[in-house]
């Protein structure tokens, strides 16, 4: 959420940011906020004037009573003033609700370094790592490999639940678990993150805090008791410190978490309908940081490198892409996507998004820190990134390490997690 002071004092700056995001048609919300804020401030001035008048009238009434004089007209006047104040307080409350509802619909302001563009075609490649593998045969897509090895069962997944759910079996289930453990070990033992295992269900305040609600409810699975299934560990982990004041010396606080994730993929419009790239249920290891505002973009670079190291240790070819303003997430000020090479599809596919949200989420979730010099509390900056999406990593391994007979070589770094298995073959 943007600060109301920023919108009040720099409405054109915020409108310009929305236009860079391709949301110029929604910029009228800023005028609505400014108008409502002005009405609220005028009301508060009038409320203060009336309270001062009420106090003066109260003193006059007390004086008349001390002199045993008739104060009935002033008493009636003071009751009228009190009623007006009460009505105005209610009106201020309604305007507060209106402003908050409008603020929750306004996206974050992109950082100056974010490339300007309308959609993903304007994203900018920052760097590449490794080389795409070469094959003496035409590489197969991961779903064909998974079915041939009998480790991915799409038919039974759909039977149990619906389309875009997959049953993993045997070495497929083992590989999924190995990837989770490998990622968690890397981030906790080498990158300094503290591991947590949060609730997978979260309340609406948690989703509002990270920016998924109210705008993206159609993508969520809502339970009957008004809890929602987490679409990413970003939601529960960021809310660990909701409504808290941290110590400056604690920053940055770094968490990693494995969770299953649930998304309706309501806006995917038929993309990636085959395989396990875009599922309604998937596993992910998440990285979350609470950082000092002065160095949050340095922390973004560090977080991105931590996610990259997973791919490097797995020997997977990838590239880093800076998202343009039109492709930037609602809450993000800057995002890098990591895209892994899939030989079967002959394309790069997103496997991680690493973002800095500045104080946007912290304002919504009221997460602050107290400066060491004793100044008033300030909002932290929050960051998160996939470290990594496990199913997509599994798909990348099947495609990049496939052999001509559809067996798959296990990356060396994962073999200790798979009981020494070196090759996945049909049992």
């Amino acid at each position: 959420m943007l600060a109301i002071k920023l919108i009040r004092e720099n409405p054109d700056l915020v409108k310009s940011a929305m236009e860079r995001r391709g949301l110029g048609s929604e910029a009228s919300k800023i005028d609505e906020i400014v108008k409502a804020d002005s009405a609220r401030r005028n009301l508060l001035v009038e409320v203060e004037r009336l309270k001062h008048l009420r106090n003066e009238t109260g003193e006059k009434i007390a004086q008349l009573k001390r002199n045993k004089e008739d104060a009935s007209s002033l008493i009636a006047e003071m009751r009228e003033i009190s009623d007006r104040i009460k009505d105005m307080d209610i009106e201020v409350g309604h305007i507060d609700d209106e402003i908050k509802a409008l603020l929750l619909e306004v996206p974050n302001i992109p950082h100056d370094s974010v490339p300007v563009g309308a959609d993903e075609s304007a994203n900018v490649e920052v760097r590449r790592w490794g080389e795409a593998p070469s094959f003496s045969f035409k590489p197969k897509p991961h779903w064909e490999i998974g079915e041939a090895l009998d480790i991915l069962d799409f038919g039974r997944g759909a039977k149990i639940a619906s389309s875009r759910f997959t049953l993993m079996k045997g070495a497929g289930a083992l590989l999924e678990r190995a990837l989770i453990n490998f990622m968690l070990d890397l981030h906790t033992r080498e990158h300094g993150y503290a591991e947590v295992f949060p609730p997978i269900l979260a309340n609406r305040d948690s989703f509002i805090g990270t920016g998924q609600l109210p705008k993206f409810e159609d993508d969520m699975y809502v339970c009957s008791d008004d809890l929602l299934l987490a679409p990413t560990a970003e939601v529960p982990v960021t809310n660990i410190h909701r409504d808290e004041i941290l110590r400056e010396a604690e920053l940055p606080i770094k968490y990693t978490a494995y969770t299953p994730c649930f998304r309706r993929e309501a806006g995917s419009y038929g993309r990636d309908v085959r395989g396990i790239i875009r599922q309604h249920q998937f596993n992910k290891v998440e990285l979350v940081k609470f950082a000092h505002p002065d160095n949050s973009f340095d922390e973004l670079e560090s977080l991105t490198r931590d996610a990259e190291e997973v791919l490097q240790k797995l020997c997977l070819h990838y590239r880093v892409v800076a998202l343009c303003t039109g492709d930037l997430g609602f809450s993000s000020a800057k995002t890098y996507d990591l895209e892994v090479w899939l030989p079967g599809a002959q394309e790069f596919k997103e496997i991680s998004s690493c973002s800095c949200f500045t104080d946007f989420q912290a304002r919504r979730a009221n997460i602050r820190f107290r400066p060491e010099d004793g100044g008033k509390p300030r909002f932290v900056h929050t960051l998160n990134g996939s470290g990594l999406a496990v199913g997509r990593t599994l798909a990348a391994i099947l495609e990049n390490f496939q052999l001509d007979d559809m067996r798959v070589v296990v990356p060396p770094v994962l073999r200790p997690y798979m009981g020494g298995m070196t090759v996945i073959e049909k049992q």
Side-chain angles (χ1 to χ4, degrees):
M1 185 161 59
L2 300 182
I4 185 65
K5 182 179 179 182
L6 172 66
I7 295 175
R8 180 189 306 137
E9 297 177 354
N10 298 282
D12 290 340
L13 181 149
V14 181
K15 288 181 184 178
S16 175
M18 294 182 73
E19 287 170 2
R20 294 201 306 276
R21 282 178 169 270
L23 299 173
S25 61
E26 299 183 31
S28 60
K29 290 176 182 175
I30 305 306
D31 294 326
E32 293 179 52
I33 292 170
V34 171
K35 182 180 178 181
D37 178 61
S38 177
R40 177 184 181 276
R41 288 158 67 83
N42 289 337
L43 276 172
L44 289 176
V45 169
E46 179 63 10
V47 167
E48 287 304 309
R49 187 189 72 80
L50 290 174
K51 286 180 177 178
H52 180 69
L53 179 59
R54 183 175 63 183
N55 290 340
E56 288 183 340
T57 304
E59 291 174 3
K60 290 178 183 178
I61 291 170
Q63 184 63 42
L64 287 172
K65 286 184 175 180
R66 282 195 295 271
N67 295 336
K68 297 184 178 179
E69 298 179 43
D70 181 20
S72 57
S73 62
L74 284 178
I75 291 172
E77 181 181 331
M78 190 166 74
R79 284 174 180 162
E80 183 180 339
I81 292 171
S82 295
D83 289 342
R84 287 171 63 192
I85 290 171
K86 187 182 297 182
D87 290 341
M88 285 181 151
D89 283 341
I90 292 172
E91 190 173 352
V92 168
H94 290 327
I95 294 176
D96 282 341
D97 292 341
E98 178 188 351
I99 291 173
K100 182 178 180 181
L102 287 167
L103 285 173
L104 290 176
E105 296 284 346
V106 177
N108 202 356
I109 294 176
H111 189 261
D112 290 342
S113 63
V114 174
V116 177
D119 54 39
E120 61 184 15
S121 64
N123 293 345
V124 175
E125 183 175 317
V126 177
R127 58 183 174 270
R128 292 191 180 199
W129 186 90
E131 299 289 338
S134 59
F135 298 92
S136 60
F137 56 93
K138 183 179 179 180
K140 302 289 194 300
H142 68 273
W143 57 86
E144 289 187 18
I145 299 168
E147 288 180 321
L149 293 174
D150 196 28
I151 60 174
L152 299 179
D153 194 327
F154 301 104
R156 288 193 174 100
K159 179 178 71 173
I160 294 167
S162 72
S163 61
R164 297 201 192 228
F165 287 87
T166 303
L167 174 66
M168 293 183 175
K169 301 157 62 177
L174 177 59
L175 178 57
E176 181 91 355
R177 177 158 54 90
L179 282 166
I180 293 167
N181 288 332
F182 159 64
M183 292 177 192
L184 289 173
D185 285 349
L186 176 65
H187 295 315
T188 55
R189 296 173 184 177
E190 299 186 27
H191 298 157
Y193 292 81
E195 183 179 352
V196 294
F197 186 68
I200 298 165
L201 288 163
N203 55 38
R204 287 183 175 270
D205 285 344
S206 296
F207 278 80
I208 289 170
T210 49
Q212 277 82 7
L213 290 182
K215 197 171 181 66
F216 304 106
E217 184 161 352
D218 287 347
D219 287 335
M220 310 299 166
Y221 283 97
V222 182
C223 299
S224 58
D225 51 3
D226 215 27
L227 294 174
L228 293 86
L229 286 167
T232 164
E234 169 196 355
V235 176
V237 177
T238 302
N239 280 275
I240 288 173
H241 294 299
R242 188 174 79 230
D243 294 324
E244 293 183 12
I245 299 177
L246 308 171
R247 292 184 298 109
E248 184 175 16
E250 294 179 277
L251 304 179
I253 296 173
K254 300 162 58 174
Y255 292 123
T256 185
Y258 150 71
T259 60
C261 306
F262 303 87
R263 297 181 189 176
R264 289 188 181 276
E265 298 289 356
S268 61
Y269 303 112
R271 288 178 294 171
D272 301 313
V273 293
R274 300 197 67 182
I276 58 174
I277 295 298
R278 196 175 295 275
Q279 298 272 279
H280 292 311
Q281 176 187 326
F282 58 96
N283 291 315
K284 188 147 68 80
V285 171
E286 194 77 1
L287 307 173
V288 173
K289 286 186 180 184
F290 301 86
H292 195 286
D294 293 348
N295 56 19
S296 60
F297 287 98
D298 291 335
E299 293 293 346
L300 174 61
E301 300 297 326
S302 172
L303 184 148
T304 304
R305 289 194 298 271
D306 292 340
E308 285 183 72
E309 191 172 351
V310 178
L311 293 168
Q312 292 172 10
K313 287 185 176 294
L314 291 169
C315 300
L316 291 170
H317 176 46
Y318 70 90
R319 67 179 182 177
V320 180
V321 175
L323 299 194
C324 72
T325 51
D327 200 27
L328 203 61
F330 176 81
S331 300
S332 177
K334 184 174 183 176
T335 295
Y336 293 117
D337 270 6
L338 307 187
E339 298 182 349
V340 68
W341 177 250
L342 295 180
Q346 288 291 294
E347 65 177 354
F348 286 100
K349 184 63 67 174
E350 176 204 332
I351 199 166
S352 171
S353 282
C354 301
S355 302
C356 176
F357 304 102
T358 58
D359 62 0
F360 188 83
Q361 291 180 329
R363 286 183 180 277
R364 297 167 77 104
N366 192 29
I367 308 169
R368 296 175 291 167
F369 72 95
R370 193 178 304 281
E372 293 289 300
D373 62 11
K376 67 178 184 178
R378 299 173 59 189
F379 288 104
V380 301
H381 281 195
T382 59
L383 304 92
N384 82 270
S386 305
L388 303 165
V390 179
R392 293 188 176 198
T393 309
L394 186 148
I397 288 171
L398 295 185
E399 294 198 13
N400 281 272
F401 291 91
Q402 61 181 292
L403 301 174
D404 59 359
D405 58 1
M406 291 252 200
R407 293 183 303 152
V408 174
V409 175
V410 177
V413 74
L414 292 180
R415 292 172 188 175
Y417 294 92
M418 297 189 67
M421 184 184 298
T422 59
V423 177
I424 299 172
E425 51 193 345
K426 188 172 183 178
Q427 297 298 310

